[in-house]
Amino acid sequence: MKMKIIFIYITYPSKKDAKHASLNLLKKRLIACGVILGPTTSQYRWKGKIVSEKEYILLAKTLPKHFEKTKKEIEKTHPYNTPCIAKIPATPNKKYFEWLAKEMQ
């Protein structure tokens, strides 16, 4: 059995937005766990200017086969015009993988 999972890294403008997204994905069983980090500061170029904004990070834990569905769900509800939705492959310990896979059923 391959014990591969992914983390999906998503940034949000508020903790409320990140929590809402996490709960939505959990209810749809697209993720097994959502970790909300922040506030943090992101600096980036937007419309020709360098900006610095407060953001919250949702680290969503799921199986690789759920990435496309999860990405589409995030894109439907995300408040940004250009959301960051990045897939990060990971190999967990056996007990964690078993728990995560069970939660995805």
Side-chain angles (χ1 to χ4, degrees):
M1 168 193 286
K2 279 195 225 177
M3 292 195 312
K4 300 289 181 190
I5 65 170
I6 59 170
F7 298 146
I8 305 175
Y9 175 96
I10 314 133
T11 55
Y12 285 92
S14 72
K15 188 174 189 176
K16 182 180 174 183
D17 288 326
K19 284 177 80 173
H20 182 265
S22 180
L23 287 172
N24 179 47
L25 297 170
L26 283 163
K27 286 176 183 175
K28 293 181 182 226
R29 292 200 179 265
L30 292 172
I31 67 171
C33 177
V35 177
I36 298 166
L37 307 168
T40 188
T41 302
S42 291
Q43 294 181 308
Y44 53 94
R45 191 175 301 278
W46 186 253
K47 297 184 179 179
K49 293 182 181 177
I50 295 176
V51 296
S52 183
E53 299 286 341
K54 180 171 75 171
E55 287 190 308
Y56 290 81
I57 298 162
L58 171 57
L59 194 61
K61 302 172 188 180
T62 189
L63 297 171
K65 68 181 182 180
H66 293 299
F67 178 69
E68 288 302 321
K69 274 186 173 176
T70 305
K71 181 177 72 163
K72 286 179 183 164
E73 187 64 30
I74 293 163
E75 288 171 337
K76 283 190 328 193
T77 60
H78 203 287
Y80 288 164
N81 291 329
T82 309
C84 173
I85 306 168
K87 177 171 67 169
I88 304 166
T91 305
N93 59 309
K94 186 175 191 263
K95 284 190 177 248
Y96 189 82
F97 176 80
E98 289 169 351
W99 170 81
L100 187 139
K102 183 179 161 212
E103 291 304 311
M104 305 303 303
Q105 296 175 353

PDB file of all heavy atoms in Angstrom, residues 6 8-9 12 14 27-28 31 36 39 46 61 71 73 75 84 93 95-96:
ATOM      1  N   ILE A   6      -1.200  14.381   0.441  1.00  0.00           N
ATOM      2  CA  ILE A   6      -0.779  15.704   0.014  1.00  0.00           C
ATOM      3  C   ILE A   6      -1.260  16.729   1.030  1.00  0.00           C
ATOM      4  O   ILE A   6      -2.254  16.520   1.727  1.00  0.00           O
ATOM      5  CB  ILE A   6      -1.285  16.077  -1.396  1.00  0.00           C
ATOM      6  CG1 ILE A   6      -2.812  16.039  -1.464  1.00  0.00           C
ATOM      7  CG2 ILE A   6      -0.639  15.196  -2.457  1.00  0.00           C
ATOM      8  CD1 ILE A   6      -3.403  16.619  -2.746  1.00  0.00           C
ATOM      9  N   ILE A   8      -2.445  20.655   0.853  1.00  0.00           N
ATOM     10  CA  ILE A   8      -2.804  21.713  -0.081  1.00  0.00           C
ATOM     11  C   ILE A   8      -2.659  23.030   0.681  1.00  0.00           C
ATOM     12  O   ILE A   8      -3.313  23.240   1.699  1.00  0.00           O
ATOM     13  CB  ILE A   8      -4.231  21.546  -0.640  1.00  0.00           C
ATOM     14  CG1 ILE A   8      -4.394  20.171  -1.272  1.00  0.00           C
ATOM     15  CG2 ILE A   8      -4.513  22.651  -1.672  1.00  0.00           C
ATOM     16  CD1 ILE A   8      -5.812  19.870  -1.748  1.00  0.00           C
ATOM     17  N   TYR A   9      -1.767  23.859   0.177  1.00  0.00           N
ATOM     18  CA  TYR A   9      -1.439  25.145   0.791  1.00  0.00           C
ATOM     19  C   TYR A   9      -2.302  26.211   0.129  1.00  0.00           C
ATOM     20  O   TYR A   9      -2.253  26.390  -1.085  1.00  0.00           O
ATOM     21  CB  TYR A   9       0.045  25.412   0.557  1.00  0.00           C
ATOM     22  CG  TYR A   9       0.550  26.750   1.015  1.00  0.00           C
ATOM     23  CD1 TYR A   9       1.161  26.893   2.255  1.00  0.00           C
ATOM     24  CD2 TYR A   9       0.460  27.877   0.187  1.00  0.00           C
ATOM     25  CE1 TYR A   9       1.645  28.123   2.663  1.00  0.00           C
ATOM     26  CE2 TYR A   9       0.941  29.099   0.603  1.00  0.00           C
ATOM     27  CZ  TYR A   9       1.532  29.219   1.833  1.00  0.00           C
ATOM     28  OH  TYR A   9       2.015  30.437   2.243  1.00  0.00           O
ATOM     29  N   TYR A  12      -5.606  32.855   2.612  1.00  0.00           N
ATOM     30  CA  TYR A  12      -6.886  33.560   2.744  1.00  0.00           C
ATOM     31  C   TYR A  12      -6.669  34.922   3.389  1.00  0.00           C
ATOM     32  O   TYR A  12      -5.745  35.082   4.192  1.00  0.00           O
ATOM     33  CB  TYR A  12      -7.861  32.742   3.601  1.00  0.00           C
ATOM     34  CG  TYR A  12      -8.425  31.564   2.869  1.00  0.00           C
ATOM     35  CD1 TYR A  12      -7.808  30.316   2.943  1.00  0.00           C
ATOM     36  CD2 TYR A  12      -9.552  31.690   2.085  1.00  0.00           C
ATOM     37  CE1 TYR A  12      -8.313  29.237   2.248  1.00  0.00           C
ATOM     38  CE2 TYR A  12     -10.067  30.607   1.390  1.00  0.00           C
ATOM     39  CZ  TYR A  12      -9.446  29.393   1.474  1.00  0.00           C
ATOM     40  OH  TYR A  12      -9.942  28.325   0.779  1.00  0.00           O
ATOM     41  N   SER A  14      -8.570  36.323   5.653  1.00  0.00           N
ATOM     42  CA  SER A  14      -9.009  36.375   7.049  1.00  0.00           C
ATOM     43  C   SER A  14      -9.081  34.966   7.629  1.00  0.00           C
ATOM     44  O   SER A  14      -9.215  33.972   6.902  1.00  0.00           O
ATOM     45  CB  SER A  14     -10.386  37.040   7.168  1.00  0.00           C
ATOM     46  OG  SER A  14     -11.391  36.171   6.668  1.00  0.00           O
ATOM     47  N   LYS A  27     -16.701  18.846   5.612  1.00  0.00           N
ATOM     48  CA  LYS A  27     -18.073  18.335   5.473  1.00  0.00           C
ATOM     49  C   LYS A  27     -18.252  17.531   4.196  1.00  0.00           C
ATOM     50  O   LYS A  27     -18.994  16.554   4.178  1.00  0.00           O
ATOM     51  CB  LYS A  27     -19.072  19.500   5.505  1.00  0.00           C
ATOM     52  CG  LYS A  27     -19.250  20.083   6.886  1.00  0.00           C
ATOM     53  CD  LYS A  27     -20.181  21.289   6.858  1.00  0.00           C
ATOM     54  CE  LYS A  27     -20.289  21.916   8.235  1.00  0.00           C
ATOM     55  NZ  LYS A  27     -21.077  23.158   8.220  1.00  0.00           N
ATOM     56  N   LYS A  28     -17.554  17.923   3.134  1.00  0.00           N
ATOM     57  CA  LYS A  28     -17.643  17.212   1.856  1.00  0.00           C
ATOM     58  C   LYS A  28     -16.684  16.026   1.782  1.00  0.00           C
ATOM     59  O   LYS A  28     -16.607  15.357   0.759  1.00  0.00           O
ATOM     60  CB  LYS A  28     -17.386  18.184   0.706  1.00  0.00           C
ATOM     61  CG  LYS A  28     -18.485  19.216   0.591  1.00  0.00           C
ATOM     62  CD  LYS A  28     -18.260  20.160  -0.555  1.00  0.00           C
ATOM     63  CE  LYS A  28     -19.405  21.167  -0.541  1.00  0.00           C
ATOM     64  NZ  LYS A  28     -19.987  21.381  -1.827  1.00  0.00           N
ATOM     65  N   ILE A  31     -11.167  16.661   2.504  1.00  0.00           N
ATOM     66  CA  ILE A  31      -9.950  16.684   3.322  1.00  0.00           C
ATOM     67  C   ILE A  31     -10.247  15.968   4.639  1.00  0.00           C
ATOM     68  O   ILE A  31     -11.410  15.838   5.026  1.00  0.00           O
ATOM     69  CB  ILE A  31      -9.437  18.120   3.582  1.00  0.00           C
ATOM     70  CG1 ILE A  31     -10.405  18.914   4.466  1.00  0.00           C
ATOM     71  CG2 ILE A  31      -9.159  18.845   2.276  1.00  0.00           C
ATOM     72  CD1 ILE A  31      -9.870  20.267   4.942  1.00  0.00           C
ATOM     73  N   ILE A  36      -5.042  25.828  10.307  1.00  0.00           N
ATOM     74  CA  ILE A  36      -5.053  27.248   9.975  1.00  0.00           C
ATOM     75  C   ILE A  36      -3.909  27.930  10.712  1.00  0.00           C
ATOM     76  O   ILE A  36      -3.818  27.855  11.938  1.00  0.00           O
ATOM     77  CB  ILE A  36      -6.414  27.877  10.323  1.00  0.00           C
ATOM     78  CG1 ILE A  36      -7.501  27.197   9.485  1.00  0.00           C
ATOM     79  CG2 ILE A  36      -6.389  29.385  10.090  1.00  0.00           C
ATOM     80  CD1 ILE A  36      -8.900  27.468   9.939  1.00  0.00           C
ATOM     81  N   PRO A  39      -2.049  35.008  12.024  1.00  0.00           N
ATOM     82  CA  PRO A  39      -1.776  35.736  10.781  1.00  0.00           C
ATOM     83  C   PRO A  39      -0.292  35.722  10.429  1.00  0.00           C
ATOM     84  O   PRO A  39       0.568  35.584  11.294  1.00  0.00           O
ATOM     85  CB  PRO A  39      -2.239  37.154  11.083  1.00  0.00           C
ATOM     86  CG  PRO A  39      -2.074  37.302  12.553  1.00  0.00           C
ATOM     87  CD  PRO A  39      -2.323  35.933  13.137  1.00  0.00           C
ATOM     88  N   TRP A  46       1.469  43.192  -7.147  1.00  0.00           N
ATOM     89  CA  TRP A  46       0.076  43.149  -7.597  1.00  0.00           C
ATOM     90  C   TRP A  46      -0.232  44.435  -8.343  1.00  0.00           C
ATOM     91  O   TRP A  46      -0.086  45.528  -7.791  1.00  0.00           O
ATOM     92  CB  TRP A  46      -0.869  42.962  -6.406  1.00  0.00           C
ATOM     93  CG  TRP A  46      -2.293  42.766  -6.802  1.00  0.00           C
ATOM     94  CD1 TRP A  46      -3.322  43.656  -6.674  1.00  0.00           C
ATOM     95  CD2 TRP A  46      -2.857  41.617  -7.426  1.00  0.00           C
ATOM     96  NE1 TRP A  46      -4.488  43.124  -7.161  1.00  0.00           N
ATOM     97  CE2 TRP A  46      -4.225  41.864  -7.639  1.00  0.00           C
ATOM     98  CE3 TRP A  46      -2.335  40.392  -7.831  1.00  0.00           C
ATOM     99  CZ2 TRP A  46      -5.078  40.946  -8.230  1.00  0.00           C
ATOM    100  CZ3 TRP A  46      -3.187  39.475  -8.415  1.00  0.00           C
ATOM    101  CH2 TRP A  46      -4.528  39.753  -8.603  1.00  0.00           C
ATOM    102  N   LYS A  61      -5.118  18.650   4.521  1.00  0.00           N
ATOM    103  CA  LYS A  61      -4.482  17.333   4.385  1.00  0.00           C
ATOM    104  C   LYS A  61      -5.468  16.372   3.740  1.00  0.00           C
ATOM    105  O   LYS A  61      -6.596  16.205   4.220  1.00  0.00           O
ATOM    106  CB  LYS A  61      -4.056  16.821   5.749  1.00  0.00           C
ATOM    107  CG  LYS A  61      -3.093  17.749   6.461  1.00  0.00           C
ATOM    108  CD  LYS A  61      -2.851  17.294   7.877  1.00  0.00           C
ATOM    109  CE  LYS A  61      -2.048  18.301   8.663  1.00  0.00           C
ATOM    110  NZ  LYS A  61      -1.827  17.845  10.046  1.00  0.00           N
ATOM    111  N   LYS A  71      -9.442  21.313  -5.312  1.00  0.00           N
ATOM    112  CA  LYS A  71      -9.033  22.563  -5.969  1.00  0.00           C
ATOM    113  C   LYS A  71     -10.245  23.268  -6.581  1.00  0.00           C
ATOM    114  O   LYS A  71     -10.426  24.472  -6.394  1.00  0.00           O
ATOM    115  CB  LYS A  71      -7.981  22.282  -7.037  1.00  0.00           C
ATOM    116  CG  LYS A  71      -7.478  23.533  -7.742  1.00  0.00           C
ATOM    117  CD  LYS A  71      -6.383  23.223  -8.728  1.00  0.00           C
ATOM    118  CE  LYS A  71      -6.975  22.529  -9.913  1.00  0.00           C
ATOM    119  NZ  LYS A  71      -6.129  22.500 -11.104  1.00  0.00           N
ATOM    120  N   GLU A  73     -13.379  23.007  -5.701  1.00  0.00           N
ATOM    121  CA  GLU A  73     -14.238  23.493  -4.615  1.00  0.00           C
ATOM    122  C   GLU A  73     -13.668  24.786  -4.025  1.00  0.00           C
ATOM    123  O   GLU A  73     -14.408  25.731  -3.750  1.00  0.00           O
ATOM    124  CB  GLU A  73     -14.388  22.416  -3.539  1.00  0.00           C
ATOM    125  CG  GLU A  73     -15.376  22.746  -2.483  1.00  0.00           C
ATOM    126  CD  GLU A  73     -16.816  22.873  -2.966  1.00  0.00           C
ATOM    127  OE1 GLU A  73     -17.206  22.197  -3.951  1.00  0.00           O
ATOM    128  OE2 GLU A  73     -17.569  23.661  -2.354  1.00  0.00           O
ATOM    129  N   GLU A  75     -11.694  26.947  -5.565  1.00  0.00           N
ATOM    130  CA  GLU A  75     -11.827  28.007  -6.571  1.00  0.00           C
ATOM    131  C   GLU A  75     -13.250  28.576  -6.632  1.00  0.00           C
ATOM    132  O   GLU A  75     -13.427  29.760  -6.890  1.00  0.00           O
ATOM    133  CB  GLU A  75     -11.406  27.493  -7.950  1.00  0.00           C
ATOM    134  CG  GLU A  75      -9.905  27.279  -8.064  1.00  0.00           C
ATOM    135  CD  GLU A  75      -9.483  26.564  -9.339  1.00  0.00           C
ATOM    136  OE1 GLU A  75     -10.315  25.846  -9.946  1.00  0.00           O
ATOM    137  OE2 GLU A  75      -8.308  26.717  -9.714  1.00  0.00           O
ATOM    138  N   CYS A  84      -3.898  31.267  -4.263  1.00  0.00           N
ATOM    139  CA  CYS A  84      -2.774  30.335  -4.240  1.00  0.00           C
ATOM    140  C   CYS A  84      -3.312  28.986  -3.752  1.00  0.00           C
ATOM    141  O   CYS A  84      -3.796  28.877  -2.627  1.00  0.00           O
ATOM    142  CB  CYS A  84      -1.686  30.841  -3.297  1.00  0.00           C
ATOM    143  SG  CYS A  84      -0.357  29.646  -3.060  1.00  0.00           S
ATOM    144  N   ASN A  93       3.612   8.863   8.516  1.00  0.00           N
ATOM    145  CA  ASN A  93       3.757   7.596   9.228  1.00  0.00           C
ATOM    146  C   ASN A  93       2.497   6.750   9.009  1.00  0.00           C
ATOM    147  O   ASN A  93       1.445   7.265   8.616  1.00  0.00           O
ATOM    148  CB  ASN A  93       4.003   7.843  10.725  1.00  0.00           C
ATOM    149  CG  ASN A  93       2.876   8.633  11.365  1.00  0.00           C
ATOM    150  OD1 ASN A  93       2.488   9.676  10.862  1.00  0.00           O
ATOM    151  ND2 ASN A  93       2.331   8.134  12.463  1.00  0.00           N
ATOM    152  N   LYS A  95       0.307   5.026  10.965  1.00  0.00           N
ATOM    153  CA  LYS A  95      -0.915   5.266  11.747  1.00  0.00           C
ATOM    154  C   LYS A  95      -1.640   6.519  11.283  1.00  0.00           C
ATOM    155  O   LYS A  95      -2.860   6.545  11.217  1.00  0.00           O
ATOM    156  CB  LYS A  95      -0.600   5.362  13.240  1.00  0.00           C
ATOM    157  CG  LYS A  95      -0.343   4.015  13.864  1.00  0.00           C
ATOM    158  CD  LYS A  95      -0.278   4.139  15.373  1.00  0.00           C
ATOM    159  CE  LYS A  95      -0.085   2.777  15.974  1.00  0.00           C
ATOM    160  NZ  LYS A  95      -1.212   2.326  16.713  1.00  0.00           N
ATOM    161  N   TYR A  96      -0.893   7.571  10.963  1.00  0.00           N
ATOM    162  CA  TYR A  96      -1.528   8.806  10.492  1.00  0.00           C
ATOM    163  C   TYR A  96      -2.187   8.570   9.132  1.00  0.00           C
ATOM    164  O   TYR A  96      -3.314   9.010   8.895  1.00  0.00           O
ATOM    165  CB  TYR A  96      -0.533   9.965  10.412  1.00  0.00           C
ATOM    166  CG  TYR A  96      -1.232  11.268  10.133  1.00  0.00           C
ATOM    167  CD1 TYR A  96      -1.835  11.979  11.163  1.00  0.00           C
ATOM    168  CD2 TYR A  96      -1.335  11.765   8.842  1.00  0.00           C
ATOM    169  CE1 TYR A  96      -2.508  13.155  10.918  1.00  0.00           C
ATOM    170  CE2 TYR A  96      -2.012  12.937   8.583  1.00  0.00           C
ATOM    171  CZ  TYR A  96      -2.597  13.632   9.628  1.00  0.00           C
ATOM    172  OH  TYR A  96      -3.273  14.793   9.370  1.00  0.00           O
TER     173      TYR A  96
END
